[in-house]
Amino acid sequence: MSNQVRGDLIFMARPPAAVIDPIAARLAVHGLDQAAGNALSRPVNWHQSLSDKHGHGQREAMLRAGARVRASAFELVLNRIDGSSAGGSDPIHWTLRARGGKPQGLVDLLATIRKSLALEGIRDDLGHTAHITLCYRAPNPLPETLFIDPVAWTIDTLELVVAGGSPYGYTTLERWLL
């Protein structure tokens, strides 16, 4: 990967096509793909965040931290879509959420990443729920939580990505199997 890639650095997990396709199908069944229009995030950008955003100057330290992570793969079962805003001028997010809250595998992975980053002198305090944000600027909130047929995703890969560009996206710097 070129050293010229600039932007915020983030650890994340991204679902494979075998997970993306059923999610997209569930959105279509409920008409949310049409309702969101251009506000729907591109499926290639769907992800589970596993760290805060960090500056490009921390690239080498984050690569070392990622290489140090030892964690087990785990299953995330996504079964509902929330669509709300904190109010005021805050954008409306449509978020795919996990059944049963945060699985222990995610708790363990986040703790391992946080510890590995700390060994590199990087503070990472942001809490992460089990979710995929489908739409960051939805045209309307959903009237209520929408329960969907569950989609199981085995998270078995950690990625370090650079966020940015036009259109906005994520460029993988490195990937590690859990």
Side-chain angles (χ1 to χ4, degrees):
M1 185 60 50
S2 167
N3 287 333
Q4 302 304 315
V5 177
R6 297 275 185 219
D8 290 323
L9 301 170
I10 309 167
F11 282 120
M12 66 172 52
R14 288 198 268 190
V19 174
I20 288 173
D21 292 346
I23 292 170
R26 282 152 180 81
L27 290 172
V29 162
H30 294 284
L32 294 179
D33 55 342
Q34 296 298 314
N38 291 337
L40 190 65
S41 295
R42 295 180 304 142
V44 69
N45 286 342
W46 293 349
H47 67 277
Q48 169 65 58
S49 297
L50 299 171
S51 77
D52 296 344
K53 291 181 178 180
H54 298 283
H56 185 74
Q58 296 176 315
R59 179 177 187 247
E60 294 305 317
M62 290 189 73
L63 284 165
R64 287 190 301 271
R68 187 182 299 115
V69 169
R70 299 292 178 265
S72 297
F74 61 94
E75 186 174 72
L76 190 62
V77 179
L78 303 158
N79 74 333
R80 67 187 189 280
I81 301 171
D82 291 327
S84 61
S85 170
S89 63
D90 291 341
I92 300 166
H93 289 185
W94 289 355
T95 307
L96 185 58
R97 300 227 174 248
R99 175 176 68 202
K102 191 184 290 189
Q104 189 61 46
L106 179 57
V107 171
D108 295 343
L109 178 58
L110 291 169
T112 301
I113 291 170
R114 191 172 294 118
K115 180 179 178 181
S116 188
L117 286 169
L119 290 171
E120 294 294 334
I122 300 172
R123 186 178 174 140
D124 195 273
D125 293 329
L126 188 65
H128 298 282
T129 61
H131 77 282
I132 295 173
T133 302
L134 302 168
C135 190
Y136 287 92
R137 297 187 180 282
N140 298 298
L142 298 176
E144 61 188 0
T145 297
L146 176 64
F147 287 90
I148 61 169
D149 290 337
V151 177
W153 172 21
T154 299
I155 295 181
D156 61 1
T157 306
L158 170 66
E159 288 186 52
L160 177 61
V161 303
V162 177
S166 181
Y168 188 86
Y170 304 107
T171 301
T172 302
L173 295 178
E174 190 63 67
R175 141 182 321 120
W176 300 272
L177 290 177
L178 299 178

